[in-house]
């Protein structure tokens, strides 16, 4: 393996994603090698969404990340957030939040007096043996006029 191809350090989230917070200056070629090695490793681990938080001082790393399939997600005064969906499953990375509409339901069978409960496949309650009412968020809709 290329000596420059040390894995990037990232934090795993509740949705099988990884967030990399870049803090130290890095040469673009070194970053590209490390990013490629990391993406390969994360694919093998079954990770899905990869987030890279770049402070303004590391803008030299934007082009290499975009060349490896990353796109802009959002920007704040101090940083830029890039994201890439590396799973073969449908991309579920939410759009940048301007607002989020949450939904919940109480489903009751009048005849049996049973209530529908579910277990989460991802998120905070994944693999915690918790039953709950169905909830979620409304996906952004695109309308053409």
């Amino acid at each position: 393996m290329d000596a420059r191809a040390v894995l990037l350090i990232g934090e795993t989230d509740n949705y099988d994603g990884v967030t990399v917070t870049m803090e130290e200056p890095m040469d673009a070629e070194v970053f590209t090698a490390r990013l490629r090695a990391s993406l390969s490793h994360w694919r093998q681990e079954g990770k899905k969404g990869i987030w890279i938080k770049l402070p303004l001082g590391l803008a030299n790393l934007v082009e290499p990340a975009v060349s490896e399939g990353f796109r802009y997600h959002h920007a704040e005064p101090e940083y830029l957030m890039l994201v890439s969906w590396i799973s073969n499953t449908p991309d579920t990375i939410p759009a940048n939040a301007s607002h989020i509409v949450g939904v919940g339901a109480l489903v009751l069978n009048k005849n049996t007096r049973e209530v529908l409960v579910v277990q989460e496949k991802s998120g905070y309650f994944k693999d915690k043996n918790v039953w709950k009412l169905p909830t979620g968020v409304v996906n952004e809709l695109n309308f053409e006029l």
Side-chain angles (χ1 to χ4, degrees):
M1 181 188 326
D2 185 332
R4 299 174 302 175
V6 175
L7 298 180
L8 296 171
I9 296 171
E11 196 170 309
T12 300
D13 64 28
N14 290 328
Y15 301 93
D16 293 322
V18 175
T19 300
V20 175
T21 302
M22 300 297 298
E23 295 175 345
E24 299 298 322
M26 187 178 296
D27 177 77
E29 289 182 21
V30 172
F31 174 73
T32 300
R34 290 182 179 181
L35 180 58
R36 286 178 180 163
S38 298
L39 290 170
S40 175
H41 174 76
W42 293 325
R43 280 187 185 98
Q44 290 174 354
E45 286 188 332
K47 299 302 181 196
K48 297 176 181 176
I50 310 300
W51 303 76
I52 300 177
K53 183 177 181 179
L54 290 176
L56 295 180
L58 300 182
N60 66 309
L61 305 181
V62 172
E63 192 278 329
V66 170
S67 294
E68 295 301 318
F70 282 79
R71 65 184 187 269
Y72 298 114
H73 187 267
H74 67 274
E76 296 293 335
E78 307 83 32
Y79 70 89
L80 171 68
M81 185 67 78
L82 301 170
V83 68
S84 180
W85 188 259
I86 63 170
S87 174
N88 290 327
T89 61
D91 184 339
T92 59
I93 293 173
N96 185 32
S98 63
H99 63 280
I100 296 176
V101 178
V103 295
L106 174 64
V107 181
L108 176 66
N109 182 325
K110 288 188 214 178
N111 297 327
T112 63
R113 300 183 57 93
E114 294 173 311
V115 174
L116 175 66
V117 291
V118 298
Q119 288 186 307
E120 290 188 1
K121 289 185 176 182
S122 64
Y124 179 78
F125 289 112
K126 177 184 176 185
D127 298 327
K128 292 192 175 171
N129 199 29
V130 172
W131 292 92
K132 64 183 206 85
L133 295 174
T135 61
V137 295
V138 176
N139 288 333
E140 179 182 349
L141 299 175
N142 295 316
F143 294 99
E144 289 186 29
L145 298 175

